[in-house]
């Protein structure tokens, strides 16, 4: 997938001078071997630093070595108690995400010269990070054997990838938002706080660029790609050349406007004037760019685009953005879901959007017109969306959002898309999230989240929570289980 960073994590061991240096070095070697044996380069390379840090001079030399080989993430490993100052200065001076983990004792037969006391040292490391106002990733239980610490690094890599991606991201928006659509409105200052850049453009700028792409020699090739992707679902082939022209417009815009940034996403405009001026709706093109690794949110939803990109970085997979749209009819629940899937009626909702979900995430797809827009516009200017039911399986529904007073908050809920036909239109699925009814009321409504939610395919709630925590977000809502009351939930039934 394009538009994502590749993580190369340095493994740097540390050692306190009154403990055997060999203890930390040998444990570092064992950890590197365990990680490479279990995971190889599945998510990113691990570089074993040759220097075991004991002093500030060692720290500087280690940072120089890992910078020269191109490491963009760091795992500080306490093979023994560790030097409080030098080990935390590694975090201070390294430009990238940093994780701390510590070695467990290895055997009851070697608790004299072979005892490392890293369990204790981890407390001092965390305290020194706090004293210096340093941010680091610390696993839920950060002390383990080589194999266990390898698993911890495996969980850190997606978080590191997301942190690196956000620090190098530019969001390109085309606005303004449609009239009567304040739902996706949010201040942009928190984007800068995250390290994200934003370039806000006029819809007229986009239209000019689109017109300048008329007759582009690449259009024919893109049309062929689209026809092959759609297959039997290619019901409106005459619209494909204009869609191809628009796709090339967006791709060229991204490349020409990244500036100092490596990665980009788009918050696009799709109504009300888009259809009448461009002559189509952009949904299918948005879906294709998402499949390539450039998520495009609908309706100039800047934080929706940001959330989609976060989901892509965490899951290393295509994502989508959906309306938390409509309830599942009671008769449909009783006939097709009740007693089969273990969910209450209020655990369910339909996630929908016009056609921005990539074809690979639909059970089948058909090129159609946008039915809602066609109720008030000529049908011929509403073509360009793909419809189909979203593939069943595990998902994570989430969003990162700024409040009106520039505070970042988020929600996360693991769930699934049920293998039940929706009998509806658009890109749509029946979503099941345990205790969704309460979550909907006491997180989504109570905390003023908009109707768009990002969808990552698979269960990624743990990684997203770890990322948001690393980013300093303290208000993270989740679907609390029955019996665990929300602060605003009435305890009297």
């Amino acid at each position: 997938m394009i538009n994502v960073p590749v993580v190369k994590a340095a493994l740097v061991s540390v050692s306190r001078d009154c403990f055997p240096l060999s203890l930390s070095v040998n444990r570092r070697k064992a950890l590197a071997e365990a990680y490479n044996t279990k995971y190889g380069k599945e998510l990113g390379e691990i570089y074993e630093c040759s220097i075991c840090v004991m002093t500030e001079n060692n720290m500087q030399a280690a940072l120089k070595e890992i910078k020269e080989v191109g490491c963009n993430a760091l795992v500080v490993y306490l093979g023994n108690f560790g030097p409080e100052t030098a080990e935390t200065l590694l975090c201070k001076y390294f430009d990238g995400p940093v994780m701390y983990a510590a070695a467990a004792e290895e055997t009851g037969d070697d608790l004299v010269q072979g005892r490392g006391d890293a369990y204790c040292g981890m407390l001092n490391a965390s305290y020194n990070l706090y004293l210096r106002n340093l941010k680091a990733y610390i696993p839920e239980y950060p002390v383990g054997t080589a194999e266990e610490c390898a698993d911890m690094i495996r969980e850190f890599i997606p978080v590191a990838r997301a942190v690196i991606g956000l620090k190098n991201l530019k969001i390109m928006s085309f606005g303004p938002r449609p009239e009567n659509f304040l739902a996706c409105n949010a201040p942009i200052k928190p984007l800068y706080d995250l390290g994200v850049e934003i370039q806000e453009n006029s819809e007229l700028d986009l239209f000019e660029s689109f017109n300048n792409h008329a007759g582009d020699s690449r259009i024919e090739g893109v049309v062929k790609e689209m026809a092959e992707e759609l297959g039997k679902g290619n019901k409106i082939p005459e619209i494909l050349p204009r869609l191809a022209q628009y796709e090339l417009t967006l791709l060229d815009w991204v490349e020409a406007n990244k500036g100092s940034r490596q990665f980009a996403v788009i918050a696009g405009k799709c109504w009300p004037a888009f259809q009448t001026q461009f002559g189509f709706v952009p949904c299918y093109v948005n879906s294709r760019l998402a499949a390539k690794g450039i998520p495009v949110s609908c309706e100039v939803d800047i934080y929706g685009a940001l959330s989609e990109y976060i989901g892509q970085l965490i899951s290393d997979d295509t994502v989508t953005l959906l309306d938390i749209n409509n309830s599942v009819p009671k008769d449909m629940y009783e006939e097709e879901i009740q007693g089969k899937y273990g969910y209450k009626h209020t655990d369910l909702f339909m996630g929908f959007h016009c056609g921005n979900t990539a074809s690979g995430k639909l059970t089948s797809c058909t090129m159609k017109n946008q039915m809602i827009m066609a109720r008030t516009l000529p049908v011929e200017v509403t073509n360009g969306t793909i419809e189909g039911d979203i593939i069943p399986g595990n998902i994570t529904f989430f969003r990162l959002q700024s409040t009106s007073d520039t505070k970042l908050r988020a929600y996360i809920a693991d769930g699934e898309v049920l293998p039940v036909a929706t009998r509806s239109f658009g890109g749509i699925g029946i979503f099941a999230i345990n205790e969704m009814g309460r979550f909907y009321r006491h997180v989504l409504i109570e905390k003023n989240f908009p109707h768009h939610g990002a969808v990552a395919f698979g269960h990624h709630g743990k990684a997203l929570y770890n990322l948001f925590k690393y980013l300093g977000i303290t208000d993270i809502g989740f679907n609390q289980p029955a019996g665990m009351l929300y602060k605003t939930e009435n305890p009297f039934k």
Side-chain angles (χ1 to χ4, degrees):
M1 182 174 284
I2 66 169
N3 204 40
V4 295
V6 176
V7 177
K8 184 174 183 179
L11 175 61
V12 178
S13 62
V14 298
S15 176
R16 198 171 185 100
D17 56 6
C18 54
F19 286 81
L21 177 68
S22 59
L23 196 60
S24 193
V25 170
N26 291 336
R27 287 176 172 178
R28 180 195 73 210
K29 291 178 178 178
L31 173 53
E33 182 179 354
Y35 183 89
N36 289 327
T37 299
K38 293 187 77 170
Y39 301 114
K41 297 182 179 180
E42 173 191 343
L43 292 179
E45 183 181 349
I46 294 294
Y47 173 78
E48 185 184 354
C49 181
S50 64
I51 298 168
C52 185
V53 171
M54 298 178 67
T55 66
E56 288 188 53
N57 288 338
N58 292 151
M59 177 271 298
Q60 291 175 313
L63 288 176
K64 182 174 184 292
E65 178 181 322
I66 63 178
K67 181 179 180 180
E68 287 176 349
V69 298
C71 292
N72 55 6
L74 171 61
V75 177
V76 179
Y77 180 56
L78 281 66
N80 59 40
F81 192 97
E84 298 172 24
T85 298
E87 70 192 7
T88 48
L89 291 179
L90 280 168
C91 181
K92 180 175 181 178
Y93 295 119
F94 181 76
D95 184 18
V98 181
M99 166 184 164
Y100 281 76
E105 308 302 353
E106 294 157 332
T107 173
D109 294 332
D110 192 13
L111 284 175
V112 181
Q113 295 303 323
R115 198 186 78 191
D117 297 0
Y119 192 86
C120 184
M122 190 70 195
L123 293 171
N124 287 25
S126 66
Y127 184 68
N128 275 263
L129 289 168
Y130 169 77
L131 288 176
R132 291 178 167 84
N133 292 315
L134 296 174
K135 190 181 297 182
Y137 174 95
I138 298 177
E140 286 297 304
Y141 183 70
V143 182
T145 63
E147 290 73 19
E148 290 166 343
C149 287
D151 294 339
M152 297 176 202
I153 296 173
R154 167 65 178 80
E155 291 187 346
F156 170 62
I157 296 297
V159 175
R161 182 170 58 227
V163 172
I164 296 163
L166 292 177
K167 291 291 185 183
N168 290 280
L169 176 67
K170 178 180 280 188
I171 299 175
M172 300 174 185
S173 71
F174 297 98
R177 285 172 303 280
E179 185 183 4
N180 289 327
F181 211 79
L182 293 176
C184 293
N185 176 47
I188 63 172
K189 182 187 180 300
L191 298 174
Y192 299 127
D193 295 339
L194 290 172
V196 174
E197 284 293 325
I198 180 165
Q199 176 182 306
E200 296 184 279
N201 308 282
S202 164
E203 193 177 10
L204 191 58
D205 296 328
L206 181 62
F207 192 47
E208 178 188 38
S209 183
F210 173 75
N211 288 331
N212 289 339
H213 279 75
D216 191 305
S217 61
R218 298 169 292 172
I219 289 175
E220 184 179 350
V222 177
V223 168
K224 184 179 179 182
E225 278 183 24
M226 290 177 167
E228 290 174 352
E229 178 182 355
L230 292 167
K232 294 180 180 179
N234 187 14
K235 304 297 185 183
I236 314 174
E238 63 272 17
I239 199 64
L240 297 189
R242 292 184 69 77
L243 295 176
Q245 181 179 334
Y246 182 64
E247 180 173 311
L248 291 168
T249 300
L250 290 180
L251 289 172
D252 287 352
W253 188 283
V254 165
E255 287 306 312
N257 289 275
K258 280 183 183 177
S260 62
R261 295 302 169 118
Q262 293 177 262
F263 314 113
V265 297
I266 299 170
K269 186 82 171 282
C270 49
W271 61 277
F274 188 100
Q275 312 94 296
T276 57
Q277 300 308 303
F278 284 80
F280 57 87
V281 293
C283 312
Y284 178 48
V285 172
N286 293 354
S287 80
R288 281 175 52 82
L289 264 63
K292 294 177 186 292
I294 306 173
V296 184
S297 69
C298 310
E299 298 155 328
V300 205
D301 181 2
I302 291 169
Y303 283 89
L306 176 68
S307 298
E308 284 188 276
Y309 189 60
I310 288 171
Q312 176 176 297
L313 292 168
I314 289 290
S315 67
D316 199 26
D317 193 8
T318 303
V319 293
T320 192
L321 189 76
L322 299 177
D323 288 353
I324 305 166
N325 198 69
N326 59 283
S327 59
V328 175
K330 187 175 181 180
D331 61 346
M332 192 174 180
Y333 170 73
E334 292 173 346
E335 293 167 10
E336 302 184 49
I337 299 170
Q338 188 175 27
K340 297 179 182 178
Y341 298 104
Y343 292 104
K344 303 188 300 293
H345 190 200
T346 53
D347 291 340
L348 308 176
F349 70 98
M350 287 194 183
F352 157 88
H353 229 277
C354 313
N356 61 318
T357 301
S359 61
K361 298 301 183 183
L362 302 175
T363 56
S364 64
C365 66
T366 304
M367 171 67 70
K368 291 189 176 182
N369 70 292
Q370 212 289 336
M371 184 186 300
I372 296 173
M373 295 179 183
R375 290 169 180 163
T376 56
L377 291 169
V379 172
E380 58 269 20
V381 299
T382 65
N383 295 322
T385 188
I386 60 167
E387 296 194 356
D389 281 2
I390 296 170
I391 58 173
N394 291 336
I395 57 90
T396 302
F397 215 97
F398 69 99
R399 186 177 177 96
L400 177 62
Q401 177 76 13
S402 171
T403 62
S404 59
D405 57 349
T406 71
K407 302 291 193 301
L408 283 170
R409 59 172 48 146
Y411 68 78
I412 309 166
D414 282 340
E416 65 174 311
V417 177
L418 297 181
V420 177
T422 64
R423 299 188 243 161
S424 194
F425 65 96
I428 189 167
I430 297 176
F431 285 72
I433 293 173
N434 286 318
E435 299 299 321
M436 177 64 193
R438 296 170 56 241
F439 176 67
Y440 175 76
R441 175 61 185 86
H442 295 284
V443 175
L444 302 183
I445 291 177
E446 191 70 31
K447 297 188 176 183
N448 309 124
F449 282 102
H451 64 301
H452 286 172
V455 178
F457 292 88
H459 280 170
H460 302 285
K462 182 178 182 180
L464 284 164
Y465 187 91
N466 285 334
L467 170 65
F468 292 152
K469 184 179 176 183
Y470 187 99
L471 295 175
I473 298 159
T474 57
D475 188 348
I476 308 172
F478 64 96
N479 55 318
Q480 295 180 188
M484 183 180 180
L485 293 180
Y486 293 96
K487 288 182 179 180
T488 55
E489 190 170 6
N490 194 328
F492 299 98
K493 302 299 182 184

